[in-house]
Amino acid sequence: MAGAISVTSGRGHAADPVSPDPLTPPLIEERRATGDAKPFFATLDGLRGIAALAVVTFHYKSMLAGWSFASAYLAVDMFFIVSGIVIDYAYGARLVQGLRAGSFMATRLLRLMPLYLVGHAIGVAVVLLGLISGQSQWTLGSLVPVAVLGALMLPNILPAPRSDLFPLDIPCWSLFWELCVNLVYAALLRGLSSRALLIIFVIAEALLALAAQRLGSIDFGSEWRHAELGALRVTAGFTIGVLIARAHRQGRVLPLRLPAPLILVLATLLLALPVSWGWAKDVLVTGVAFPLLCAAALASQPRTVGLYALLGTLSYPLYIVHAVLPVERGVSMLTGRDGASFAPAIGIAALVGACILALLLAKFYDRPLRRRLGATLRRDRIARL
């Protein structure tokens, strides 16, 4: 089977070869022969979920009475590393064997767009509610063009109350760079030698270190101010992820073996490191610690995979929708008090609610819609043959 991958199941036995399915979450493959669904690299799924939860606490900090993962802004660098691993495993061989870059990008859009559009629509609705209530810096004239650009997953280049690349759903800046690096991968990176990729990674990390020393951290990329750091972060993370995938396929695994739960604990501790540790902490975590953890995650699968699969399913929809939910503003409008005055209860409720919404979106909207769209695309391809 073209592009088949032999993976290891959560029970430690060799799994049946599977073909990457664009209709399933990035790290989940269904074993259709038995009807048994097992995570594909379950520990990586767990890392994605921990990273997404950390980001939520970072954005809900005021509602959580200051309790948050202080270095959660580094979670996007972990996402980029995991993405490099998964994309190279799932599509590297298929691109070499003839999968066209256009088909690859269509698959990536099919994976990302349904949930992205939900987050974008919520962001537009929140601004409209603000306009109706007279409590918004936006105007209808500024909202419409920004909403159109956002619907196309293009960064905003027009005047707006915020200077973010995606002011209606701020975390989506990383998705934009994700798609950019996916295109570069299909066109160029997949054909480069491991030595060339290592050189690209080292250069990107060196430039990030220089920028971090000058700016104090690498917590940049979402705004047009220092937007170039977003490109450096995705370049460094994605290329090291591809290198890790290549090394794993070739049997060159990390000699240090860690239990899967310990890997998640270490990731949690890294994301909780204090900002006061300075810019060097950011560079060492993203350039050394995260790659080592992700490499260890490939070599260590949990005995039971349910929690890891849940974290993987939760991660993307949670990342997309949590920042646009107007929890604090809504509470303020209903009670006449600052929403943060109800912390940490309101933050805990918001976090739980965002997780529930994310899981509902994944089960009842994202997967069914992508399954139908994917089936339609396959029928169209067959009809053209």
Side-chain angles (χ1 to χ4, degrees):
M1 187 182 300
I5 303 171
S6 180
V7 300
T8 302
S9 72
R11 296 188 178 94
H13 302 293
D16 299 335
V18 292
S19 179
D21 184 351
L23 303 182
T24 56
L27 308 187
I28 302 293
E29 297 291 349
E30 293 183 3
R31 297 180 67 189
R32 292 177 176 79
T34 62
D36 187 18
K38 294 186 181 300
F40 171 60
F41 297 140
T43 311
L44 284 180
D45 260 330
L47 285 177
R48 286 195 310 135
I50 293 296
L53 287 168
V55 170
V56 178
T57 69
F58 190 76
H59 290 150
Y60 287 3
K61 185 186 305 183
S62 63
M63 294 190 293
L64 289 167
W67 290 93
S68 70
F69 290 78
S71 292
Y73 57 88
L74 301 178
V76 294
D77 300 276
M78 181 180 288
F79 291 145
F80 292 148
I81 296 171
V82 173
S83 177
I85 294 171
V86 175
I87 293 299
D88 191 68
Y89 247 107
Y91 298 103
R94 298 173 70 190
L95 286 164
V96 170
Q97 295 168 6
L99 177 66
R100 295 180 179 178
S103 297
F104 166 71
M105 291 304 297
T107 298
R108 296 302 296 144
L109 285 170
L110 179 62
R111 166 66 188 128
L112 297 175
M113 284 299 286
L115 283 169
Y116 167 82
L117 290 175
V118 168
H120 180 67
I122 295 175
V124 172
V126 169
V127 172
L128 287 174
L129 289 175
L131 287 172
I132 294 171
S133 64
Q135 299 180 1
S136 177
Q137 296 178 317
W138 290 81
T139 65
L140 190 60
S142 63
L143 172 62
V144 171
V146 174
V148 172
L149 285 172
L152 300 173
M153 205 181 275
L154 295 175
N156 178 52
I157 57 175
L158 301 171
R162 300 186 60 99
S163 62
D164 303 276
L165 274 68
F166 290 84
L168 296 174
D169 194 355
I170 296 170
C172 292
W173 70 271
S174 64
L175 296 185
F176 170 73
W177 288 118
E178 168 87 9
L179 283 176
C180 288
V181 81
N182 285 172
L183 181 59
V184 174
Y185 171 80
L188 175 65
L189 290 181
R190 65 176 177 81
L192 296 181
S193 66
S194 295
R195 178 177 297 179
L197 288 176
L198 182 59
I199 292 172
I200 292 173
F201 167 71
V202 170
I203 292 173
E205 274 296 317
L207 292 174
L208 275 176
L210 290 174
Q213 183 182 28
R214 179 168 59 91
L215 300 171
S217 76
I218 63 170
D219 185 16
F220 295 93
S222 65
E223 299 181 17
W224 283 108
R225 182 173 66 102
H226 304 305
E228 70 280 358
L229 294 190
L232 286 176
R233 292 173 74 178
V234 73
T235 299
F238 192 87
T239 52
I240 194 63
V242 172
L243 285 169
I244 292 169
R246 288 185 180 183
H248 187 263
R249 281 202 310 272
Q250 295 165 5
R252 293 185 281 114
V253 297
L254 189 71
L256 176 63
R257 301 248 178 184
L258 300 174
L262 179 58
I263 292 173
L264 298 195
V265 170
L266 290 174
T268 302
L269 293 175
L270 288 171
L271 292 168
L273 290 176
V275 177
S276 60
W277 285 22
W279 64 269
K281 175 262 299 178
D282 289 2
V283 175
L284 290 174
V285 168
T286 59
V288 179
F290 281 173
L292 289 176
L293 275 184
C294 289
L298 283 178
S300 177
Q301 300 306 308
R303 292 182 178 274
T304 57
V305 298
L307 175 62
Y308 298 79
L310 178 66
L311 287 170
T313 300
L314 176 73
S315 61
Y316 178 49
L318 180 62
Y319 182 74
I320 286 294
V321 303
H322 79 275
V324 293
L325 298 177
V327 179
E328 195 167 358
R329 183 188 302 178
V331 171
S332 297
M333 292 178 63
L334 290 174
T335 64
R337 295 170 54 186
D338 183 0
S341 65
F342 296 95
I346 184 178
I348 295 171
L351 176 59
V352 172
C355 289
I356 293 173
L357 175 61
L359 291 174
L360 291 174
L361 285 171
K363 182 175 182 179
F364 297 107
Y365 164 74
D366 185 47
R367 290 182 183 176
L369 177 60
R370 287 188 293 113
R371 189 173 291 115
R372 288 196 296 271
L373 291 174
T376 301
L377 288 175
R378 282 194 294 269
R379 286 196 298 269
D380 289 345
R381 289 171 187 167
I382 293 173
R384 289 195 297 268
L385 294 178

